[in-house]
């Protein structure tokens, strides 16, 4: 009797474990074959806010890892969710790619695919922020270019002034040698 009871309990326990395992395995299943819920593919307001908040809390190296993951997923035909996650991620990390490409991807999203007014506002705000960031980057690049050209001009002036100083020293040495020769000639004539 005892062995029958333990076999039944073992069978029941195994069945429960099997059901729990299947439930965990199917947790990401969205009802379509070969497609699982990808958090980056989602494009709802709360998901993007949570994503931005989580990105803000992690280290810059972890942000870069997230960005690399998003960029890899962008190589496949990306949906609106990937473009929107890249948009949010780019505000927090340079590793999320080129701003112009991100803006092109966000602008390609069909207006009807963002029916939530809050989402439309969020996209508008982030798009403008990325445009400003892109303009600042361009200005910084322009200023760095100008700084390099000014620095090269200053270095060439320094080089020419050091050559002038070198030439002046050589002339002074030459005059000193001539003066010594003249002095030696005069003293040689006196003997």
């Amino acid at each position: 009797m005892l062995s029958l009871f333990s076999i039944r309990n073992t069978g029941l326990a195994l069945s429960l474990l099997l059901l729990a395992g299947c439930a965990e395995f199917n947790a990401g299943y969205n009802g379509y074959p070969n497609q699982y819920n990808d958090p980056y593919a989602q494009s709802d307001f709360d998901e993007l806010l949570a994503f931005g908040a989580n990105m803000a809390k992690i280290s810059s190296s972890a942000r870069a890892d997230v960005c690399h993951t998003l960029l890899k997923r962008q190589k496949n035909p990306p949906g609106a969710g990937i473009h929107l996650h890249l948009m949010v991620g780019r505000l927090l990390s340079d590793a999320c790619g080129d701003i112009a490409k991100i803006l092109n991807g966000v602008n390609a999203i069909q207006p009807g695919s963002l029916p939530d007014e809050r989402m439309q506002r969020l996209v508008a705000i982030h798009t403008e922020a990325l445009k400003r960031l892109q303009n600042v980057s361009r200005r910084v690049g322009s200023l760095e270019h100008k700084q390099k050209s000014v620095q090269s001009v200053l270095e060439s002036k320094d080089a020419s002034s050091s050559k002038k100083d070198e030439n002046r020293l050589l002339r002074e040495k030459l005059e000193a040698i001539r003066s010594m020769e003249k002095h030696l000639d005069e003293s040689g004539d006196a003997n």
Side-chain angles (χ1 to χ4, degrees), residues 117-181:
E117 189 175 331
R118 297 177 309 158
M119 187 63 162
Q120 292 170 359
R121 289 177 182 165
L122 181 73
V123 169
I125 291 167
H126 281 65
T127 300
E128 286 304 310
L130 279 177
K131 287 178 183 176
R132 288 181 55 96
L133 186 61
Q134 186 177 28
N135 289 335
V136 167
S137 295
R138 285 182 186 154
R139 285 188 211 136
V140 166
S142 174
L143 288 174
E144 285 175 350
H145 178 71
K146 287 179 183 176
Q147 181 182 7
K148 286 180 183 177
S149 64
V150 166
Q151 191 173 15
S152 66
V153 167
L154 289 174
E155 287 173 356
S156 67
K157 284 185 178 181
D158 285 344
S160 66
S161 67
S162 66
K163 286 183 181 179
K164 286 180 183 177
D165 289 342
E166 190 176 322
N167 287 341
R168 183 182 51 80
L169 286 173
L170 287 174
R171 279 192 209 115
E172 289 176 1
K173 287 180 182 179
L174 183 61
E175 287 177 23
I177 291 172
R178 286 182 182 159
S179 154
M180 288 172 150
E181 284 179 348

Side-chain angles (χ1 to χ4, degrees), residues 91-122:
L91 289 173
L92 299 167
S93 175
D94 292 342
C96 276
D98 182 47
I99 293 175
K101 288 181 183 178
I102 293 170
L103 290 174
N104 287 339
V106 170
N107 290 335
I109 296 172
Q110 300 297 324
S113 66
L114 300 176
D116 184 4
E117 189 175 331
R118 297 177 309 158
M119 187 63 162
Q120 292 170 359
R121 289 177 182 165
L122 181 73

Side-chain angles (χ1 to χ4, degrees), residues 2 4 7 16 24 27 35 47 55 57 59 66 69 71 73 81 86 89-90 99 103 111 128 139 146 148 176-177 188:
L2 186 60
L4 182 62
I7 292 173
L16 288 175
E24 180 66 29
Q35 291 184 357
E47 162 58 27
M55 281 279 285
K57 293 177 185 175
S59 68
V66 171
T69 301
L71 290 170
R73 294 202 180 151
L86 279 169
R90 183 58 178 89
I99 293 175
L103 290 174
E128 286 304 310
R139 285 188 211 136
K146 287 179 183 176
K148 286 180 183 177
I177 291 172

